[in-house]
Amino acid sequence: MPRKVNYGVDYDDDYEDDYNDDYDYDYDEEVEENGITAKTMPAKEVRSAKVWRCPICTYDNEDSMSACDICGILRNPLVKSNIQINDVAAPFKFNVPSPDDLVSSGLQSLKMKSKDNQRDTNIPVELELSAKDQESTSASVTRQRGNGVNEKDYAPTSGSIPGMPHRNVNTEAMSSKTGKVEKTIERKTASISDFTPETWMIPETVDGELSQLNLAIVGHVDSGKSTLSGRLLHLSGRISQKLMHKYEKEAKQQGKGSFAYAWALDESAEERERGITMTVGVAFFTSKKYHIVLLDSPGHRDFVPNMISGATQADAAILVVDASMGSFEAGIDATGGQTREHAQLIRSFGVDQIIVLVNKMDVVGYSKERFDFVKQKLGTFLRTCGFKESSISWVPASVMENQNLVANSSDSRLSWYRGPFLMDAIDSLQLPARDYSKPLQIPICDVKSQSQSQVSACGKLETGAIRPGLKVLVMPSKEITTVRSLERDSQPCSIARAGDNVTVNLQGIEGNRVTAGSVICHPDYPVQVACQLEMKILVLEISTPIVIGSQLEFHIHHAKEAAKIVKILSLLDPKAGKVTKKSPRCLLSKQNAMVEVALQGPVCVEEYSSCRALGRVFLRASGRTIGLGVVTQIIKTEN
Ligand code: GTP
Ligand code: MG
C-alpha cells in the first residue's frame, strides 16, 4: 500500500520476440514437452464409481471432491456459471485476507449482463499506448493548470444539469424495512463520450506553473531505489541538513550506516531493521520542469503486489539497476529477477518512457565496459517488453558518491559518458496526455479515517477533475459524498485534474465505505463493479500450465481479488490478434489468449477500451506475475 512519506520535524508534513507464430499445435505433443505425458492428459476425465482422476496430475480423487485435492483443478473443466469459487480449495495466499476467509457470496448474486457484440480482441495485450490513441482521448497536456472558474458543480441527483446529458438513473429509495435511504446506482447506457466537461475542468495556460509528473522508482531488491529517492529529496532541499544528520546518526547506531538516505523513505521500524522497502513511499520534490511525485517501490519479490498498487500511478519510471558483478545478473534472471518483472509490469501499466539508472558504478570503477554490457543485455530485454529504443535513457551513476545525479559527474573515471545527468533526463521526460475532459475517476490507493464521517483518500486522478464542494460517488459502496478539501503535497489546493496525485478529504461518509481499490467517480457515470470478466492476456514465463480452474491473484489498479479461470476461449496470434485456436485445454508461457475469469468478490473495473487505467489487469500466482491482461468485456456485474 502506498504511503506518503513524512519528512520528519523539518516538514509538516523476450518475451524474446520469439512468439510461436503457429498455434495450431498438437496438444499432446505440447504437454509432453512440458513434462506432462499425453497419457496423463486424457481428453475426458477418467472416472470410476468412487473416484475421479484429475486430468492434470492424475491423482484419483474421492467422488465427493469437486476439485483435485492435489493441484486444485476443477473436476469438470466446463464450469457452469453458478459454480462458487469457494467450492474449490484456494491454494495461494497474498498479503490480504486469504480467499478462504472471505465471504464468497459474489457469484450467487451475479446478474447476467447482455453481451456486447463489439468485443475488441484487437487490443494489443502489451498494452501499447500509441501517441495517436492518447491524443484522441484527451486535451493536450502542454496546457497548464489555472484556477477553477465558478461554474456550477455537477450534481449527483436527477434533473437537468449544465454540461451533463439528461439521463440520470441514480435513484434514492426509502427502504420499508430499515427506514434508511438506499441508493441504487445504475450504469448509464449511453457512452461516456456523450459527457461534456464543465469549463473549470479544463486547465488554462499559466506561465511558470509546473505540471505534476508521477515518477515510479522501480528495480531489483537493494539496487539503491530508496537511497536514490532520499538523495534526490536531500539535494532538492526537501530534506534539511539537520534531518539528514539525524538519519545518519540513527542509521549508524543500528549498524545500518549505508541506509541513511533510504531512511527518508523507509520509515517503519521493520523496513529500517530489515533494510528493505515493504510499501511504496510517496514523496514530492520539484525539478526545473515538474512537480515530481516520487513513488519509491519495494524491490523484494514478496512485495510485488504493493509495488503494483503504487507504481500503477506512474507516468514514467526510473529503473534502478545495480551494476556490480552478480547483482545485475540476479536482477535480470528469468526465474526471479525483479529488474525483469518490474520492467514488464511498468510497461504494462502503460508507461512508455523509462530512465535506466545504472547505479553503484563506484563498485565497478565507473567502467564503461560494464555499463555497455548492462545496456546491451537489458536493452534487448526492454525492447521485448515494448519499450522503444528512443524512449529509453541510460544514465550511469553512483547514488552513494552523488555522481551524475543533479550535475555532471565530477569523477574523471566517468569522463567517457556524454549524456545527460539524471535530473536533466527527468526533465526531458514528456507528460502523457491527460483525460481532463472525461467524467471523474480516482482509483483510491490509501485511506485514512480522520474522524467519524470524515475520510481522507489518496490517489491519482485518472480522468476528469475535482474541487472542494463537489458531490462525488464512491464505488463499490455506492455512497454519495462531498469533497470537503483537497491537498497536493500536504498543501491545500483548489482544484486537481487528471494526472494529479492528491489527498481528497471527504465528508459525510464512514471510513469503512472507502477502501484501497474503491473508485471516486462522477455520480452520473459510476464505474462498473464486476465479478466476471473476459480478458485478453499475455502469459509470462510459467512452469505450470494455466487451465480452467487455475486459481490466481487478480490485481487491478489498487484492488486485489482471488480469481479463477472459468473459460479459455481462444489462443490469439500475438501480432494480428486473430484467433488461432478455439477452446484450448491449457495456456503456456508467452501465449496470447482470451479467457474468462471469475472473481471471488466484486471489483471496480472498466473495459480497457473506455478507461485504460481501470482496465489493465495483472495476474499472479505462487508469488510471481504470470500474466498481463486487459479487460475486453464485463460479463457479470454486481447486482
Ligand atoms: P529495496 O527497497 O529493498 O528493494 O532496496 P533499494 O533498492 O531501495 O536499496 P536501498 O536504497 O535500500 O540500498 C541498498 C543498499 O545499497 C544500501 O546499503 C545502500 O547504501 C547501497 N547503495 C545504494 N546506492 C549505492 C551506490 O551508488 N553505491 C554503493 N556502493 N552502494 C549503494
Ligand atoms: Mg527501498
Side-chain angles (χ1 to χ4, degrees):
M1 200 57 54
R3 71 197 140 74
K4 203 157 71 183
V5 169
N6 178 358
Y7 308 114
V9 289
D10 287 51
Y11 279 90
D12 287 341
D13 261 5
D14 314 6
Y15 324 136
E16 293 8 312
D17 224 9
D18 59 352
Y19 288 110
N20 187 355
D21 280 337
D22 177 14
Y23 287 110
D24 220 2
Y25 51 75
D26 177 281
Y27 174 76
D28 291 342
E29 264 175 39
E30 186 184 83
V31 292
E32 274 174 327
E33 266 175 39
N34 283 276
I36 307 165
T37 64
K39 267 192 212 150
T40 65
M41 297 284 274
K44 292 203 171 108
E45 63 180 9
V46 178
R47 291 180 198 213
S48 70
K50 296 254 167 67
V51 295
W52 62 275
R53 181 168 297 170
C54 173
I56 294 296
C57 67
T58 71
Y59 182 73
D60 287 334
N61 292 280
E62 281 179 25
D63 203 36
S64 60
M65 297 289 292
S66 59
C68 176
D69 207 19
I70 298 297
C71 68
I73 190 172
L74 282 180
R75 179 174 177 177
N76 182 351
L78 297 170
V79 178
K80 308 259 184 338
S81 62
N82 63 352
I83 194 153
Q84 291 186 33
I85 273 188
N86 62 352
D87 286 343
V88 184
F92 74 83
K93 59 188 166 97
F94 50 95
N95 62 350
V96 292
S98 114
D100 303 11
D101 300 333
L102 299 168
V103 180
S104 166
S105 57
L107 291 181
Q108 284 173 315
S109 61
L110 299 178
K111 184 177 79 179
M112 277 308 281
K113 204 188 153 210
S114 66
K115 288 204 179 191
D116 175 348
N117 297 334
Q118 298 164 5
R119 64 175 64 175
D120 185 359
T121 55
N122 284 326
I123 296 167
V125 86
E126 63 270 28
L127 320 183
E128 276 291 350
L129 293 190
S130 72
K132 206 167 126 226
D133 290 343
Q134 295 186 355
E135 276 161 23
S136 67
T137 56
S138 69
S140 162
V141 290
T142 52
R143 298 165 67 194
Q144 294 182 351
R145 287 189 286 275
N147 286 330
V149 289
N150 288 330
E151 287 278 320
K152 211 175 151 197
D153 293 339
Y154 37 71
T157 50
S158 57
S160 170
I161 301 157
M164 295 293 141
H166 300 211
R167 285 168 285 94
N168 197 331
V169 290
N170 299 342
T171 56
E172 290 190 357
M174 188 72 81
S175 161
S176 55
K177 278 188 197 150
T178 62
K180 281 185 188 165
V181 173
E182 291 182 348
K183 298 182 186 87
T184 312
I185 309 294
E186 285 176 28
R187 177 82 176 175
K188 280 184 177 302
T189 47
S191 159
I192 280 173
S193 60
D194 291 349
F195 175 79
T196 312
E198 295 184 37
T199 44
W200 65 269
M201 297 172 68
I202 309 299
E204 294 161 4
T205 307
V206 177
D207 283 344
E209 194 172 326
L210 303 180
S211 300
Q212 196 168 308
L213 178 80
N214 298 281
L215 187 61
I217 315 290
V218 298
H220 195 64
V221 64
D222 267 356
S223 53
K225 301 178 292 298
S226 304
T227 306
L228 169 69
S229 305
R231 254 292 185 203
L232 292 178
L233 294 174
H234 183 227
L235 292 170
S236 62
R238 295 303 303 257
I239 296 178
S240 68
Q241 202 57 36
K242 191 172 147 211
L243 184 59
M244 204 53 239
H245 280 316
K246 182 172 170 272
Y247 287 147
E248 275 167 11
K249 200 173 139 205
E250 288 172 0
K252 255 191 207 144
Q253 277 169 358
Q254 279 200 27
K256 298 256 178 209
S258 69
F259 286 88
Y261 285 101
W263 276 32
L265 280 295
D266 296 341
E267 291 182 300
S268 76
E270 192 178 355
E271 286 181 317
R272 290 179 174 185
E273 167 96 28
R274 293 176 65 182
I276 60 167
T277 305
M278 295 161 77
T279 59
V280 173
V282 183
F284 298 79
F285 74 96
T286 305
S287 71
K288 272 190 218 149
K289 205 170 148 193
Y290 297 119
H291 282 304
I292 292 172
V293 183
L294 267 188
L295 302 157
D296 174 40
S297 308
H300 193 285
R301 57 180 298 175
D302 286 357
F303 305 110
V304 172
N306 291 349
M307 176 269 177
I308 291 175
S309 176
T312 187
Q313 304 171 73
D315 300 316
I318 300 178
L319 177 62
V320 183
V321 178
D322 182 342
S324 44
M325 295 296 176
S327 299
F328 165 69
E329 286 74 10
I332 199 80
D333 182 75
T335 59
Q338 257 60 56
T339 305
R340 215 179 160 89
E341 186 168 6
H342 282 199
Q344 281 170 331
L345 283 169
I346 204 85
R347 182 67 196 93
S348 63
F349 298 156
V351 169
D352 55 6
Q353 303 171 82
I354 193 166
I355 297 170
V356 182
L357 189 82
V358 183
N359 189 28
K360 306 199 188 180
M361 287 296 287
D362 54 297
V363 180
V364 295
Y366 295 93
S367 156
K368 180 176 185 313
E369 286 67 38
R370 182 65 177 165
F371 175 78
D372 288 343
F373 175 81
V374 169
K375 185 173 172 183
Q376 190 267 322
K377 280 264 176 224
L378 186 55
T380 309
F381 177 71
L382 291 179
R383 283 188 294 278
T384 66
C385 294
F387 289 102
K388 286 195 197 119
E389 186 80 54
S390 57
S391 304
I392 311 174
S393 309
W394 298 86
V395 180
S398 167
V399 174
M400 209 45 138
E401 298 189 349
N402 187 15
Q403 293 299 322
N404 223 17
L405 299 178
V406 295
N408 286 321
S409 174
S410 56
D411 195 308
S412 59
R413 289 174 295 171
L414 207 52
S415 57
W416 50 265
Y417 176 70
R418 300 263 173 266
F421 50 86
L422 179 66
M423 201 61 101
D424 264 4
I426 291 174
D427 275 335
S428 305
L429 294 166
Q430 299 299 309
L431 280 181
R434 308 288 199 200
D435 286 339
Y436 309 120
S437 43
K438 281 189 175 174
L440 176 70
Q441 281 184 332
I442 314 178
I444 297 171
C445 67
D446 202 5
V447 178
K448 279 185 211 110
S449 270
Q450 300 292 27
S451 61
Q452 218 182 6
S453 304
Q454 206 167 302
V455 173
S456 294
C458 307
K460 176 189 165 195
L461 277 84
E462 290 300 340
T463 54
I466 192 168
R467 62 180 179 175
L470 198 70
K471 295 266 192 235
V472 293
L473 171 70
V474 179
M475 293 293 277
S477 62
K478 302 178 184 173
E479 293 278 345
I480 287 176
T481 174
T482 307
V483 178
R484 196 170 135 264
S485 59
L486 292 175
E487 284 170 42
R488 188 190 288 124
D489 188 9
S490 304
Q491 299 298 317
C493 66
S494 57
I495 194 162
R497 298 189 174 90
D500 288 347
N501 210 310
V502 288
T503 300
V504 184
N505 297 313
L506 299 168
Q507 71 184 23
I509 189 163
E510 298 294 325
N512 61 0
R513 309 296 284 160
V514 198
T515 56
S518 299
V519 175
I520 296 177
C521 44
H522 187 298
D524 290 336
Y525 293 86
V527 66
Q528 306 214 55
V529 180
C531 308
Q532 193 154 336
L533 307 155
E534 180 196 83
M535 300 196 310
K536 181 180 178 185
I537 63 166
L538 168 65
V539 182
L540 302 179
E541 296 286 348
I542 50 171
S543 47
T544 314
I546 296 175
V547 293
I548 292 169
S550 288
Q551 304 279 336
L552 307 163
E553 298 165 35
F554 177 94
H555 295 251
I556 189 161
H557 51 94
H558 308 293
K560 304 178 229 189
E561 195 52 71
K564 79 175 171 190
I565 302 281
V566 291
K567 279 184 194 165
I568 303 179
L569 300 162
S570 56
L571 285 176
L572 303 173
D573 177 317
K575 292 191 177 102
K578 287 197 186 122
V579 173
T580 54
K581 183 166 181 166
K582 285 194 174 161
S583 307
R585 292 279 305 276
C586 68
L587 298 177
L588 307 175
S589 301
K590 302 174 189 174
Q591 289 185 330
N592 283 250
M594 298 296 298
V595 297
E596 233 177 81
V597 168
L599 308 177
Q600 182 150 5
V603 293
C604 294
V605 57
E606 289 287 355
E607 285 165 14
Y608 182 73
S609 54
S610 61
C611 181
R612 290 164 195 268
L614 291 165
R616 288 189 187 103
V617 175
F618 314 97
L619 300 174
R620 305 196 86 234
S622 310
R624 292 184 61 189
T625 306
I626 60 159
L628 310 172
V630 294
V631 176
T632 47
Q633 194 182 174
I634 292 169
I635 309 284
K636 290 176 185 173
T637 52
E638 192 197 22
N639 198 344

